[in-house]
Amino acid sequence: MSVVVTTPTGHVGSRVVRLLIQAGVRPRVLVRNPARLGEATRERVEVRRGDLTDAGFVRDAVAGARSVFWVDPTPHTAADPVETSLRTAAPLVEAARAGDVGRVVMLSSIGAEKRHGVGHIDALAGIEERLDATGVDVLHLRCAYFFTNLLLDLEGLAQGVLTTAFDPGHPMPWVDPRDIGDVVAARLLSEAWRGRVVQAVHGPEDLTFHQVAQILTEALGRPVRLNPVSDDAVRDTLRAAGLPPSAVEGLVGMAAGSRGLVPEQPRDLLTTTPTSLSGWAHARLRPLLEG
């Protein structure tokens, strides 16, 4: 079984690689810096060193693969994040259209079903549509809000503040990226699915940011208060940091476009994963803040 994994050192990709190895598969990993894989992992994978923004590298590296796990590597701070994401995925789409790739499992997001108006998530919607048009077997994993997004503001959490531009009272799915990795690996290893499939990965429960602040208060053993901010306040902060206008709107749009959103896929046995935010915060977040 020939399986290609992009972003193999990320929160999701690293879990996928480990599970594939444990299943007896030697995955082909596309990575800029092989040293980040660790020596034990490098011995058990086929390393293709290169940059996912290099179209020639991607086209060559995915050719002949039975399955490709695609994660868009574009940072939200890119000068034109939507255009960059679409351009980066173009060699994969070309390979799928040419029959050089058997199947694609794509890391997408809740909100992509809207197709427009959700900031940088619009790029994932565009990649979904382009892959669908190739006729290749494709699975779009519409993932919830990552627990690990909390790691982006450790300084604020250390001061007991959880800042968000999302609607603080709107329940939304939250998920551990490791659980997403479990679903990805299971789908890559399975030959039972065909055609176009959309599957959400919702985590164990929907949470408001008010509830998240309370969970973190209990898990961290310190008060955490919620600090809701407006879209304009976020714009001002991002502009002051030097981000270009398209990046600013890409970031603001992800929160603004998600307000009131009800995911297309319902919460059920297929879409619900087990790891709780409380358990994750105890195991991952608390040691970081206490260290």
Side-chain angles (χ1 to χ4, degrees):
M1 176 182 288
S2 177
V3 180
V4 171
V5 178
T6 62
T7 66
T9 62
H11 292 298
V12 178
S14 59
R15 178 66 171 169
V16 173
V17 169
R18 185 178 183 89
L19 291 173
L20 290 176
I21 291 171
Q22 290 176 334
V25 174
R26 184 180 180 87
R28 183 188 311 166
V29 301
L30 280 50
V31 62
R32 283 183 296 180
N33 181 7
R36 293 189 60 198
L37 292 167
E39 183 178 355
T41 299
R42 290 198 304 273
E43 293 174 352
R44 293 170 172 83
V45 301
E46 177 191 346
V47 175
R48 295 288 184 94
R49 184 173 187 170
D51 194 316
L52 291 181
T53 62
D54 180 340
F57 165 71
V58 173
R59 185 67 175 82
D60 178 68
V62 302
R66 168 59 181 144
S67 301
V68 176
F69 174 47
W70 182 259
V71 181
D72 175 31
T74 307
H76 298 315
T77 54
D80 190 340
V82 172
E83 188 278 333
T84 301
S85 294
L86 295 174
R87 175 165 34 86
T88 302
L92 171 67
V93 174
E94 178 187 335
R97 185 179 294 113
D100 292 337
V101 168
R103 322 184 292 174
V104 177
V105 174
M106 176 186 166
L107 190 72
S108 190
S109 172
I110 290 172
E113 61 264 48
K114 292 184 69 173
R115 294 313 195 203
H116 183 69
V118 200
H120 194 186
I121 294 173
D122 290 353
L124 300 179
I127 297 170
E128 285 192 17
E129 291 178 322
R130 284 158 174 76
L131 286 171
D132 291 345
T134 68
V136 73
D137 294 335
V138 59
L139 169 66
H140 304 303
L141 288 178
R142 300 256 181 86
C143 299
Y145 195 79
F146 283 20
F147 292 171
T148 48
N149 288 339
L150 294 169
L151 302 178
L152 299 175
D153 190 19
L154 287 176
E155 182 178 351
L157 290 174
Q159 298 172 0
V161 179
L162 172 62
T163 300
T164 185
F166 284 83
D167 179 350
H170 177 66
M172 50 190 274
W174 285 66
V175 67
D176 184 346
R178 284 173 55 88
D179 287 349
I180 298 173
D182 291 352
V183 176
V184 171
R187 285 294 194 165
L188 289 171
L189 292 167
S190 171
E191 294 291 333
W193 60 276
R194 295 287 187 276
R196 178 184 185 270
V197 181
V198 179
Q199 178 178 344
V201 189
H202 285 325
E205 60 182 334
D206 293 358
L207 299 167
T208 68
F209 268 88
H210 287 298
Q211 292 172 313
V212 170
Q214 183 58 42
I215 289 170
L216 294 181
T217 293
E218 296 171 358
L220 302 179
R222 65 177 76 181
V224 175
R225 68 175 179 84
L226 187 63
N227 176 37
V229 294
S230 69
D231 292 343
D232 284 341
V234 174
R235 286 188 178 96
D236 290 343
T237 298
L238 297 175
R239 288 167 182 159
L243 268 67
S246 58
V248 170
E249 293 309 313
L251 282 160
V252 170
M254 287 191 290
S258 297
R259 292 186 187 122
L261 177 68
V262 177
E264 186 176 64
Q265 290 77 37
R267 176 176 294 283
D268 57 17
L269 180 64
L270 185 68
T271 62
T272 298
T273 50
T275 305
S276 70
L277 178 60
S278 176
W280 177 88
H282 271 288
R284 292 285 311 280
L285 190 55
R286 185 166 184 164
L288 291 173
L289 294 176
E290 290 181 345

